[in-house]
């Protein structure tokens, strides 16, 4: 099993550009989530999904969109990139959001110039 | 809502010394508690978790943590650290709604630096 796979690993964007961060898991997990990690801030939840077709906002959703058309995939879209979105982004999955441990991808390092 | 406070942002220790990383949480409902470790340029790995039962929880790599409900704490301990334990450690909490669980809320992290 590959676990949680994130692509790309690194990306540089210009302000105003759009892009999609990909996340795929092969564990048939219902729950998937996106976090951003900034120095001294820990991980903050952006969006999450409890199953295909169901998404909801986390703590810091502004500037990001998600969709969940299949159980396996949970892409994160930046509509118009801003320097404040420079961060490391992690995707995670689990059988449920709290009681079960979450499996994390290796992250995407995103820089917005 | 839940919140997590990791009291130390950085903890330097010498190899083979004991270490305690402190974590306090706030919640109006029952909680699940977790410690994750992040090595440089990697994702997070689960060290240990408290769901219910015994308040002393043992995890991987010789780490353990004790859930103290009265003090709302979940401190992480290791009796003798190794250079390879150098990493950032995150405490996390999720609400236990008695059948459904809330999202995971993370603390800001503690960087453990083990020196020879």
């Amino acid at each position: 099993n590959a676990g949680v796979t994130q692509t790309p690993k690194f990306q540089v964007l210009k302000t105003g550009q759009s892009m999609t961060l990909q996340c795929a898991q092969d564990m048939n997990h219902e729950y998937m989530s996106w976090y951003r990690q900034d120095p001294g801030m820990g991980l903050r939840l952006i969006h999450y999904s409890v199953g295909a077709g169901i998404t909801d906002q986390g703590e810091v959703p502004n500037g990001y969109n998600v969709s969940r058309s299949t159980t396996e995939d949970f892409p994160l879209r930046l509509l118009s990139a801003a320097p404040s979105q420079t961060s490391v982004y992690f995707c995670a999955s689990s059988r449920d959001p709290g009681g079960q441990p979450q499996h994390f991808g290796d992250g995407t390092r995103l820089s917005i110039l | 809502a839940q919140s997590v406070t990791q009291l130390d942002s950085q903890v330097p220790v010498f190899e083979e010394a004991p270490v305690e990383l402190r974590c306090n949480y706030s919640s109006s409902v029952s909680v699940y508690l977790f410690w994750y470790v992040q090595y440089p340029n990697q994702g997070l790995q689960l060290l240990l978790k408290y769901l219910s039962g015994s308040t002393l929880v043992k995890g991987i790599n010789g780490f353990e943590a004790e859930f103290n409900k009265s003090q709302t704490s979940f401190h992480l301990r290791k009796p003798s650290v190794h250079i390879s334990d150098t990493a950032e450690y995150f405490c996390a909490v999720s609400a236990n709604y008695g059948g459904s669980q809330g999202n995971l809320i993370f603390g800001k992290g503690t960087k453990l630096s083990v020196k020879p």
Side-chain angles (χ1 to χ4, degrees), chain A residues 31 35 37 40-43 45 48 90 96-102 104-106 109, chain B residues 32 34 36 38 41-44 46 49 51 88 90 94 101-104 106-108:
Chain A
Y31 181 83
Y35 295 88
Q37 183 179 24
M41 299 294 291
L43 279 79
L45 183 65
Y48 64 97
F90 288 98
D96 63 60
Q100 299 297 324
Q102 296 203 24
F104 282 82
D106 287 337
R109 292 183 177 274
Chain B
Y32 299 122
F34 306 82
Y36 284 83
Q38 184 181 33
N41 300 315
Q42 294 186 23
L44 277 70
L46 181 70
K49 61 183 178 181
L51 303 183
E88 190 160 17
F90 292 94
S94 67
Q101 291 85 33
N103 292 310
L104 208 56
F106 285 87
K108 294 184 177 181

Side-chain angles (χ1 to χ4, degrees), chain A residues 10-14 17 109-113:
Chain A
F10 302 94
Q11 185 70 49
V12 179
L13 292 178
K14 295 181 179 179
Q17 287 184 316
R109 292 183 177 274
L110 183 61
S111 293
I112 315 295
L113 304 178

Side-chain angles (χ1 to χ4, degrees), chain B residues 37-93:
Chain B
V37 60
Q38 184 181 33
Y39 299 103
N41 300 315
Q42 294 186 23
L44 277 70
Q45 302 173 29
L46 181 70
L47 267 181
L48 49 79
K49 61 183 178 181
Y50 171 78
L51 303 183
S52 64
S54 173
T55 57
L56 183 62
V57 179
K58 295 188 183 297
I60 62 172
N61 300 340
F63 284 93
E64 65 180 31
E66 186 159 16
F67 170 54
N68 188 319
K69 188 175 181 180
S70 62
Q71 297 188 7
T72 61
S73 66
F74 191 55
H75 301 332
L76 181 70
R77 302 184 182 97
K78 187 170 183 178
S80 176
V81 295
H82 303 290
I83 298 288
S84 59
D85 292 322
T86 294
E88 190 160 17
Y89 293 79
F90 292 94
C91 183
V93 63

Side-chain angles (χ1 to χ4, degrees), chain B residues 20-41:
Chain B
E20 178 179 81
L21 306 184
R22 297 180 293 168
C23 172
N24 286 91
Y25 70 91
S26 172
S27 177
S28 58
V29 300
S30 296
V31 295
Y32 299 122
L33 293 157
F34 306 82
W35 276 99
Y36 284 83
V37 60
Q38 184 181 33
Y39 299 103
N41 300 315

Side-chain angles (χ1 to χ4, degrees), chain A residues 13-73:
Chain A
L13 292 178
K14 295 181 179 179
T15 297
Q17 287 184 316
S18 63
M19 81 159 294
T20 299
L21 308 186
Q22 301 291 345
C23 175
Q25 53 93 7
D26 61 0
M27 297 170 283
N28 202 33
H29 286 165
E30 290 295 324
Y31 181 83
M32 297 186 74
S33 54
W34 276 102
Y35 295 88
R36 60 176 289 173
Q37 183 179 24
D38 302 292
M41 299 294 291
L43 279 79
R44 294 179 290 170
L45 183 65
I46 304 171
H47 285 286
Y48 64 97
S49 168
V50 298
I54 306 170
T55 64
D56 206 345
Q57 297 180 350
E59 180 185 357
V60 288
N62 291 341
Y64 307 95
N65 275 0
V66 291
S67 60
R68 185 94 179 271
S69 57
T70 67
T71 299
E72 295 77 21
D73 301 300

